Amino acid sequence: AQSVTQLGSHVSVSEGALVLLRCNYSSSVPPYLFWYVQYPNQGLQLLLKYTSAATLVKGINGFEAEFKKSETSFHLTKPSAHMSDAAEYFCAVSGISGGYNKLIFGAGTRLAVHP
Amino acid sequence: EAGVTQFPSHSVIEKGQTVTLRCDPISGHDNLYWYRRVMGKEIKFLLHFVKESKQDESGMPNNRFLAERTGGTYSTLKVQPAELEDSGVYFCASSEQALAKNIQYFGAGTRLSVL
């Protein structure tokens, strides 16, 4: 079955440190890839998406992600964490078998940022 | 422009009761999706409407769940009778087109607690 794996359900970083949230997918063809963020008591908000254009995708709030086909990965990074980045982050794919445009999500990574 | 709205935001019911969740998509979005997140697990697809028609309902857990979208505007998801394992957060999303690369915009979700 197609799947998305997010390594680390909880990640903690210091303010100003690098943020790295990992996402790997299983698919025989390159899918479309998304990162969503959920702040407390809010809906999922799109951070960025990969749709087969540039492999390095820049999103909102200083986040970016790089699509690596050879590694089937789409890790999310931010050079310098801010307290406001504390939230839960979800990696998702679409365009793979079993439902062309439904999203398949990873389990989520909760990011904590401490002073 | 209003985003995807869901209500109630939180519902607490007893096992065996009926609950109806509502989703209002972004105006003009023909595609409406329902997802569910059971505690600690990944967000899972339930079904997809194109206007008033069910395009894909492969994720619906069983026949206790009934989704409707009369007139192709808002949608309801009814659970009858509710069971303990139905507890979780139910998300609704909408998109303009049903293409895998299109962004799905999410609501804040309805947290359902079945006691």
Side-chain angles (χ1 to χ4, degrees), chain A residues 2-3 14 22 31 33-34 39 45 47 49-50 53 57 66-67 72 84-85 94 100 107 110:
Chain A
Q2 310 297 336
S3 66
S14 299
R22 300 178 186 273
L33 294 147
F34 305 81
Y39 299 103
Q45 178 183 358
L47 273 178
K49 68 174 184 176
Y50 168 76
V57 182
E66 185 173 9
F67 172 68
T72 60
S84 61
D85 294 327
S94 68
Y100 188 62
R110 190 170 294 278

Side-chain angles (χ1 to χ4, degrees), chain A residues 4-95:
Chain A
V4 177
T5 302
Q6 290 185 241
L7 187 61
S9 59
H10 290 79
V11 171
S12 181
V13 300
S14 299
E15 191 173 19
L18 171 72
V19 176
L20 171 60
L21 305 182
R22 300 178 186 273
C23 173
N24 288 86
Y25 65 91
S26 65
S27 174
S28 57
V29 295
Y32 298 107
L33 294 147
F34 305 81
W35 274 100
Y36 282 87
V37 60
Q38 185 180 23
Y39 299 103
N41 301 315
Q42 296 185 29
L44 281 79
Q45 178 183 358
L46 183 73
L47 273 178
L48 48 81
K49 68 174 184 176
Y50 168 76
T51 56
S52 74
T55 56
L56 182 62
V57 182
K58 294 188 183 300
I60 61 172
N61 301 336
F63 284 93
E64 61 182 36
E66 185 173 9
F67 172 68
K68 292 187 177 180
K69 182 180 177 181
S70 61
E71 298 177 8
T72 60
S73 69
F74 191 55
H75 301 331
L76 182 71
T77 61
K78 182 174 180 178
S80 177
H82 192 273
M83 297 295 288
S84 61
D85 294 327
E88 191 160 21
Y89 293 78
F90 297 92
C91 181
V93 302
S94 68

Side-chain angles (χ1 to χ4, degrees), chain B residues 70-104:
Chain B
T70 306
T73 55
Y74 71 90
S75 173
T76 58
L77 180 64
K78 180 189 288 188
V79 185
Q80 178 182 32
E83 298 289 344
L84 299 179
E85 63 264 26
D86 300 333
S87 296
V89 181
Y90 290 76
F91 292 102
C92 176
S94 71
S95 68
E96 270 189 276
Q97 298 179 47
L99 298 175
K101 62 181 179 181
N102 284 131
I103 297 169
Q104 294 183 24

Side-chain angles (χ1 to χ4, degrees), chain A residues 36 43-46, chain B residues 1-6 22-33 49 51 69 71-75 92-97 102-108:
Chain A
Y36 282 87
L44 281 79
Q45 178 183 358
L46 183 73
Chain B
E1 178 181 321
V4 177
T5 56
Q6 294 185 245
R22 173 168 169 151
C23 169
D24 286 71
I26 292 172
S27 178
H29 282 193
D30 287 338
N31 296 274
L32 186 149
Y33 310 81
F49 282 100
K51 297 185 180 178
R69 193 182 182 195
T73 55
Y74 71 90
S75 173
C92 176
S94 71
S95 68
E96 270 189 276
Q97 298 179 47
N102 284 131
I103 297 169
Q104 294 183 24
Y105 297 89
F106 282 78

